[in-house]
Tab-separated table of all heavy atoms in Angstrom:
chain	number	residue	atom	x	y	z
A	336	GLU	N	-1.537	-0.698	-10.099
A	336	GLU	CA	-0.332	-1.234	-9.457
A	336	GLU	C	-0.153	-0.669	-8.058
A	336	GLU	O	0.487	0.358	-7.861
A	336	GLU	CB	0.906	-0.949	-10.315
A	336	GLU	CG	1.084	-1.915	-11.443
A	336	GLU	CD	1.145	-3.364	-10.986
A	336	GLU	OE1	1.884	-3.690	-10.038
A	336	GLU	OE2	0.436	-4.189	-11.578
A	337	ARG	N	-0.732	-1.358	-7.094
A	337	ARG	CA	-0.596	-0.974	-5.685
A	337	ARG	C	0.190	-2.027	-4.915
A	337	ARG	O	0.413	-1.900	-3.725
A	337	ARG	CB	-1.972	-0.818	-5.051
A	337	ARG	CG	-2.830	0.235	-5.682
A	337	ARG	CD	-4.185	0.253	-5.043
A	337	ARG	NE	-4.906	-0.994	-5.223
A	337	ARG	CZ	-5.730	-1.247	-6.242
A	337	ARG	NH1	-5.920	-0.348	-7.169
A	337	ARG	NH2	-6.360	-2.399	-6.327
A	338	LYS	N	0.606	-3.071	-5.600
A	338	LYS	CA	1.271	-4.201	-4.953
A	338	LYS	C	2.668	-3.829	-4.472
A	338	LYS	O	3.379	-3.049	-5.105
A	338	LYS	CB	1.415	-5.360	-5.923
A	338	LYS	CG	0.135	-5.937	-6.399
A	338	LYS	CD	0.405	-7.010	-7.429
A	338	LYS	CE	-0.846	-7.306	-8.186
A	338	LYS	NZ	-0.584	-8.029	-9.423
A	339	VAL	N	3.034	-4.427	-3.366
A	339	VAL	CA	4.413	-4.395	-2.893
A	339	VAL	C	4.822	-5.843	-2.653
A	339	VAL	O	3.989	-6.742	-2.646
A	339	VAL	CB	4.570	-3.554	-1.605
A	339	VAL	CG1	4.245	-2.093	-1.874
A	339	VAL	CG2	3.731	-4.094	-0.466
A	340	HIS	N	6.099	-6.051	-2.463
A	340	HIS	CA	6.609	-7.389	-2.175
A	340	HIS	C	7.189	-7.399	-0.773
A	340	HIS	O	7.935	-6.497	-0.392
A	340	HIS	CB	7.662	-7.800	-3.208
A	340	HIS	CG	7.069	-7.964	-4.561
A	340	HIS	ND1	7.040	-6.942	-5.481
A	340	HIS	CD2	6.445	-9.017	-5.141
A	340	HIS	CE1	6.426	-7.372	-6.571
A	340	HIS	NE2	6.059	-8.621	-6.388
A	341	TRP	N	6.812	-8.432	-0.020
A	341	TRP	CA	7.263	-8.588	1.357
A	341	TRP	C	8.130	-9.825	1.452
A	341	TRP	O	7.768	-10.890	0.964
A	341	TRP	CB	6.041	-8.715	2.283
A	341	TRP	CG	6.349	-8.921	3.719
A	341	TRP	CD1	6.857	-8.005	4.587
A	341	TRP	CD2	6.148	-10.108	4.485
A	341	TRP	NE1	6.988	-8.548	5.839
A	341	TRP	CE2	6.557	-9.846	5.801
A	341	TRP	CE3	5.661	-11.385	4.172
A	341	TRP	CZ2	6.484	-10.799	6.810
A	341	TRP	CZ3	5.587	-12.330	5.177
A	341	TRP	CH2	6.000	-12.033	6.482
A	342	ILE	N	9.282	-9.666	2.081
A	342	ILE	CA	10.190	-10.783	2.363
A	342	ILE	C	10.035	-11.116	3.844
A	342	ILE	O	10.170	-10.243	4.706
A	342	ILE	CB	11.661	-10.401	2.083
A	342	ILE	CG1	11.860	-10.010	0.624
A	342	ILE	CG2	12.597	-11.537	2.487
A	342	ILE	CD1	11.753	-11.123	-0.358
A	343	ALA	N	9.724	-12.367	4.133
A	343	ALA	CA	9.541	-12.799	5.524
A	343	ALA	C	10.854	-12.701	6.295
A	343	ALA	O	11.934	-12.797	5.710
A	343	ALA	CB	9.019	-14.236	5.548
A	344	PRO	N	10.783	-12.540	7.603
A	344	PRO	CA	12.005	-12.488	8.414
A	344	PRO	C	12.671	-13.863	8.472
A	344	PRO	O	12.029	-14.883	8.226
A	344	PRO	CB	11.499	-12.063	9.794
A	344	PRO	CG	10.092	-12.559	9.834
A	344	PRO	CD	9.575	-12.429	8.424
A	345	PRO	N	13.964	-13.920	8.829
A	345	PRO	CA	14.662	-15.206	8.877
A	345	PRO	C	14.247	-16.095	10.047
A	345	PRO	O	14.471	-17.296	10.004
A	345	PRO	CB	16.136	-14.812	8.981
A	345	PRO	CG	16.136	-13.437	9.530
A	345	PRO	CD	14.861	-12.794	9.077
A	346	THR	N	13.644	-15.526	11.080
A	346	THR	CA	13.238	-16.322	12.232
A	346	THR	C	11.750	-16.640	12.165
A	346	THR	O	10.941	-15.777	11.815
A	346	THR	CB	13.547	-15.573	13.543
A	346	THR	OG1	12.934	-14.289	13.505
A	346	THR	CG2	15.034	-15.396	13.739
A	347	PRO	N	11.367	-17.878	12.465
A	347	PRO	CA	9.955	-18.244	12.424
A	347	PRO	C	9.166	-17.585	13.549
A	347	PRO	O	9.722	-17.176	14.560
A	347	PRO	CB	9.974	-19.762	12.571
A	347	PRO	CG	11.299	-20.111	13.122
A	347	PRO	CD	12.232	-18.995	12.807
A	348	GLY	N	7.855	-17.502	13.329
A	348	GLY	CA	6.959	-16.928	14.326
A	348	GLY	C	5.957	-15.999	13.670
A	348	GLY	O	5.936	-15.830	12.455
A	349	PRO	N	5.103	-15.386	14.470
A	349	PRO	CA	4.086	-14.500	13.906
A	349	PRO	C	4.687	-13.188	13.415
A	349	PRO	O	5.654	-12.680	13.985
A	349	PRO	CB	3.124	-14.270	15.070
A	349	PRO	CG	3.932	-14.510	16.297
A	349	PRO	CD	4.966	-15.535	15.921
A	350	ALA	N	4.102	-12.669	12.355
A	350	ALA	CA	4.471	-11.349	11.819
A	350	ALA	C	3.168	-10.625	11.494
A	350	ALA	O	2.236	-11.220	10.959
A	350	ALA	CB	5.336	-11.488	10.573
A	351	THR	N	3.113	-9.358	11.831
A	351	THR	CA	1.916	-8.561	11.576
A	351	THR	C	2.199	-7.583	10.449
A	351	THR	O	3.240	-6.922	10.438
A	351	THR	CB	1.485	-7.801	12.841
A	351	THR	OG1	1.309	-8.748	13.903
A	351	THR	CG2	0.183	-7.061	12.624
A	352	ILE	N	1.250	-7.528	9.502
A	352	ILE	CA	1.357	-6.630	8.347
A	352	ILE	C	0.153	-5.689	8.372
A	352	ILE	O	-0.973	-6.136	8.557
A	352	ILE	CB	1.386	-7.432	7.032
A	352	ILE	CG1	2.610	-8.352	7.015
A	352	ILE	CG2	1.366	-6.502	5.827
A	352	ILE	CD1	2.616	-9.341	5.872
A	353	TRP	N	0.409	-4.400	8.198
A	353	TRP	CA	-0.645	-3.387	8.148
A	353	TRP	C	-0.634	-2.719	6.792
A	353	TRP	O	0.417	-2.478	6.214
A	353	TRP	CB	-0.396	-2.267	9.163
A	353	TRP	CG	-0.438	-2.615	10.587
A	353	TRP	CD1	-1.502	-2.499	11.428
A	353	TRP	CD2	0.637	-3.105	11.392
A	353	TRP	NE1	-1.153	-2.883	12.690
A	353	TRP	CE2	0.161	-3.262	12.692
A	353	TRP	CE3	1.964	-3.427	11.122
A	353	TRP	CZ2	0.950	-3.727	13.735
A	353	TRP	CZ3	2.761	-3.894	12.149
A	353	TRP	CH2	2.252	-4.040	13.431
Side-chain angles (χ1 to χ4, degrees):
E336 279 304 312
R337 299 177 298 269
K338 297 176 196 163
V339 295
H340 294 93
W341 178 72
I342 300 290
T346 55
T351 305
I352 299 171
W353 295 265

